Amino acid sequence: MKIKGIVILIALILSGCNTEAGKNQKEDNITANKEENSENSVAFDEALPTIGLLMYNGVLMTEVTAPMDVFSKHTEAGDKLFNVVTIAENLNPVKTEEGLVVVPDYTFENAPKLDVLFVPSAYDMWSTVRNDKIVAFVKNRNKETKYTVSNCAGAQLIGASGIANGKKIVTYIGGGKQLQKDYPELLVQNDSLVSFVEDGKFSSSNGNLATYISSLELVEKMTSKAHREFVESYLYLDRLKDWEREKK
């Protein structure tokens, strides 16, 4: 009986060790997969300017996909002009407000040097502006960017970071009064009349599809009017302009 009891005890110990080893192996695999994803998800060219797209749970999808859509387009000759990368607090999948799930390319810690940072919005900006890590990321990366862009209520993050005090800015339609109240040092423009504002290195838009405006304005500044027109033609924007007329 004693031998039997010893055998059972040894089996339990080994089982526990195997379970712990399995758990550790699983965690190592998850970490390795995340690192591999970060390294291989984008073809990064260090010679090109880098466009960083901030992401966090609940982010509005168009405010990430619009600048990606515009800046990822090659030239008419087929040349790549920009690195376009998504960045979040960690490499966990980010779920947009609309339900699209995206695995970020980089984290706040390992993201490359940025020439441009796009700051999008969410319906729940109350929680977002109280995330010290997100606010610090916007503030710190603005020190290296040539351009910083906010769309929709992303202007709240710009205000919370204090990087654009004394600069003109616009937010979503109907959100200007609250933005001005929360951050009185911003020069908030009339969002019922203005869809896009530029002031020095900072630009902003009402967000949603107006995010294409801020993206196209900036891509023209960083390339040429001809390239902007090529991108617009690639996106079939003329079809949207003629939509109502074609329906009649």
Side-chain angles (χ1 to χ4, degrees):
M1 292 296 292
K2 287 184 179 180
I3 295 175
K4 183 177 180 181
I6 292 172
V7 171
I8 293 173
L9 179 60
I10 292 172
L12 288 173
I13 292 173
L14 291 175
S15 175
C17 291
N18 289 335
T19 300
E20 187 63 29
K23 179 182 177 182
N24 292 337
Q25 183 62 48
K26 183 178 180 181
E27 291 175 350
D28 289 343
N29 288 340
I30 291 172
T31 301
N33 288 337
K34 286 183 177 180
E35 291 174 350
E36 181 179 356
N37 176 74
S38 178
E39 293 173 358
N40 300 327
S41 59
V42 288
F44 193 88
D45 185 341
E46 293 184 357
L48 297 178
T50 299
I51 313 299
L53 310 178
L54 174 63
M55 295 196 71
Y56 48 89
N57 281 319
V59 69
L60 298 182
M61 180 177 68
T62 309
E63 293 169 24
V64 176
T65 58
M68 179 177 286
D69 209 6
V70 169
F71 282 90
S72 64
K73 295 291 183 287
H74 289 202
T75 66
E76 194 166 4
D79 298 320
K80 180 181 177 181
L81 294 178
F82 302 97
N83 299 306
V84 183
V85 300
T86 54
I87 308 167
E89 186 174 336
N90 51 56
L91 292 179
N92 293 332
V94 173
K95 189 172 185 179
T96 70
E97 173 65 30
E98 297 81 2
L100 180 68
V101 178
V102 179
V103 178
D105 298 311
Y106 296 97
T107 69
F108 292 168
E109 286 72 28
N110 69 6
K113 183 178 181 297
L114 302 178
D115 294 89
V116 179
L117 174 63
F118 276 88
V119 181
S121 69
Y123 289 147
D124 180 16
M125 290 306 295
W126 190 92
S127 298
T128 305
V129 298
R130 284 161 179 77
N131 185 319
D132 293 338
K133 291 183 179 180
I134 295 178
V135 175
F137 173 77
V138 172
K139 185 175 183 178
N140 292 334
R141 288 311 181 109
N142 179 69
K143 297 174 184 177
E144 69 188 20
T145 60
K146 294 180 181 178
Y147 304 102
T148 299
V149 187
S150 68
N151 291 297
C152 196
Q156 290 278 342
L157 279 171
I158 300 297
S161 69
I163 60 177
N165 290 345
K167 300 292 186 180
K168 295 178 182 178
I169 195 168
V170 71
T171 186
Y172 64 92
I173 298 173
K177 290 183 178 179
Q178 187 62 51
L179 180 65
Q180 189 69 83
K181 180 180 178 181
D182 292 341
Y183 307 103
E185 294 187 40
L186 294 175
L187 304 180
V188 180
Q189 304 300 293
N190 187 340
D191 49 74
S192 65
L193 302 175
V194 177
S195 60
F196 169 77
V197 170
E198 183 180 38
D199 192 346
K201 70 177 285 183
F202 300 100
S203 58
S204 52
S205 80
N206 301 141
N208 209 321
L209 287 178
T211 304
Y212 275 96
I213 300 175
S214 60
S215 301
L216 288 164
E217 289 287 338
L218 185 54
V219 83
E220 178 178 340
K221 176 175 282 193
M222 296 181 73
T223 57
S224 66
K225 184 177 181 180
H227 180 65
R228 173 187 176 150
E229 291 175 349
F230 171 71
V231 172
E232 288 185 353
S233 69
Y234 205 96
L235 296 172
Y236 293 157
L237 289 186
D238 58 324
R239 297 296 180 96
L240 289 177
K241 295 174 184 176
D242 294 337
W243 190 359
E244 287 298 324
R245 182 170 60 81
E246 293 296 334
K247 281 177 62 177
K248 294 179 181 178

